[in-house]
Amino acid sequence: MSESSFDQFRRMMDAMEFETLPLFSRSHFSWHLKTDYVGRRLVYRPVSESTQDDARRMLERFRLSAGAVVLAETQTAGRGRAGRSWVSPPDVSLYFTLLMQPEPAALRSLAYLAPLAAALAVEEISAAAGRELRADLKWPNDVLIDGKKVAGALIETTEHEGRLLALIGVGINVNLDVEAYPEIVAIATSVKQALGFAVEREELLALFCNHFESLYEAAKGGDKAPFAAWRDRLVTLGSAVVASGAGTRVEGIAVDVAEDGALVIERAGGERVSVEAGDVTLRV
Ligand code: BTN
């Protein structure tokens, strides 16, 4: 029986001294980080079940505050939206949870700011390597390259000492060889696969933090540009879709997104329905 990548990684970790343990270079990450607070606190976990749960648990112990990032080298139970799992092998991709403390009214904006920041980061790292790459968005928070998913975001909330906290879980397939994962090969891609060469995870995470902070601060200050940028990138708009989730199913043409991020679908009879959460399947 062949050894799984998790087993291999555990075996490798067991054989290493703690000082040599991180595969992710903090100094390389810091070199590219241009933020005031997002990513300034980085908690690195060699192995995590899920960074969402680690971040939740660490709130108290590590006194994490807004902008802190919990990053895992690998996740043994990484989860996606709608109960799906997230393929999280070591040393190839980014799995992290960014902690934010939004005003309740701004909570929903995180669902579009996170994928937008990921898309901009992917495009920037590609451009820096001399290649134009277009990252599209699919409602509500998938990042696509050539129609295949390269990143996704999962927003959860928790309360800590009377404060509402958002756990923004982001997974980016960076240098993943998707062919090695039959369960996702038909629907997923990676930055490496799209470019034909590997990129630095440290730089990509820093670029995500840079974009996220500036988008978040702009949106918080009332700037509509981040929302417009998200809307402009949505491949969902104008397409025939089936939206499902929370026991509902709406079929029609996706005609718009409301300011709170809800998808507006026009049914065959002309009735318009707002869908706040769920999954959409594009019908081609
Ligand atoms: C999705 O598109 O379904 C959301 C994927 C979110 C995956 C990330 S990886 C880091 C964080 N920890 C998790 O368990 N999930 C999120």
Side-chain angles (χ1 to χ4, degrees):
M1 200 175 73
S2 76
E3 194 179 30
S4 77
S5 54
F6 295 119
D7 294 336
Q8 280 174 26
F9 184 66
R10 280 226 166 87
R11 194 166 46 74
M12 195 169 92
M13 291 292 120
D14 287 347
M16 286 172 112
E17 294 297 324
F18 185 74
E19 285 71 24
T20 58
L21 198 137
L23 300 177
F24 182 93
S25 159
R26 270 176 197 276
S27 52
H28 189 172
F29 166 70
S30 302
W31 175 258
H32 291 282
L33 193 66
K34 306 273 184 284
T35 60
D36 285 335
Y37 64 97
V38 172
R40 291 284 157 194
R41 178 87 191 269
L42 178 73
V43 180
Y44 175 84
R45 306 277 289 159
V47 182
S48 166
E49 280 184 10
S50 158
T51 57
Q52 296 291 91
D53 300 334
D54 268 346
R56 210 183 289 265
R57 270 194 296 269
M58 285 173 181
L59 277 173
E60 185 74 48
R61 211 174 107 220
F62 284 52
R63 297 202 162 273
L64 299 184
S65 55
V69 170
V70 177
L71 171 75
E73 193 61 64
T74 184
Q75 297 182 119
T76 54
R79 57 176 186 271
R81 292 187 312 108
R84 288 184 286 263
S85 58
W86 188 260
V87 169
S88 314
D91 200 24
V92 285
S93 287
L94 286 169
Y95 324 107
F96 61 93
T97 295
L98 163 63
L99 191 73
M100 292 296 287
Q101 194 183 337
E103 290 300 319
L107 186 60
R108 298 195 57 146
S109 68
L110 302 176
Y112 65 80
L113 296 176
L116 179 59
L120 293 172
V122 165
E123 288 184 357
E124 190 177 342
I125 203 166
S126 306
R131 287 281 301 278
E132 289 293 313
L133 201 67
R134 167 83 187 174
D136 294 312
L137 299 173
K138 176 169 166 270
W139 188 91
N141 36 33
D142 289 351
V143 185
L144 311 179
I145 297 176
D146 294 331
K148 290 188 163 185
K149 185 158 168 170
V150 69
L154 172 71
I155 318 289
E156 297 175 340
T157 56
T158 189
E159 260 204 29
H160 184 65
E161 295 171 350
R163 298 171 298 157
L164 170 75
L165 295 174
L167 302 159
I168 307 168
V170 179
I172 308 179
N173 299 334
V174 186
N175 298 320
L176 185 75
D177 288 319
V178 285
E179 291 79 12
Y181 299 91
E183 66 274 36
I184 58 166
V185 68
I187 53 160
T189 188
S190 69
V191 181
K192 179 184 170 191
Q193 180 152 326
L195 289 176
F197 52 84
V199 296
E200 300 288 350
R201 293 180 303 157
E202 292 85 348
E203 182 177 353
L204 188 58
L205 179 58
L207 293 177
F208 172 88
C209 293
N210 297 346
H211 282 294
F212 185 87
E213 184 176 293
S214 78
L215 291 166
Y216 180 80
E217 288 301 318
K220 205 168 95 178
D223 187 348
K224 303 276 184 243
F227 175 80
W230 173 66
R231 190 185 182 284
D232 285 352
R233 274 171 195 264
L234 281 175
V235 291
T236 321
L237 295 184
S239 305
V241 296
V242 179
S244 52
T248 59
R249 183 186 146 92
V250 182
E251 199 170 334
I253 306 292
V255 287
D256 205 353
V257 273
E259 283 208 8
D260 64 359
L263 184 66
V264 183
I265 298 178
E266 189 170 295
R267 286 184 157 138
E271 178 201 7
R272 289 191 166 198
V273 184
S274 274
V275 179
E276 293 193 352
D279 270 337
V280 290
T281 309
L282 303 179
R283 307 182 72 211
V284 282

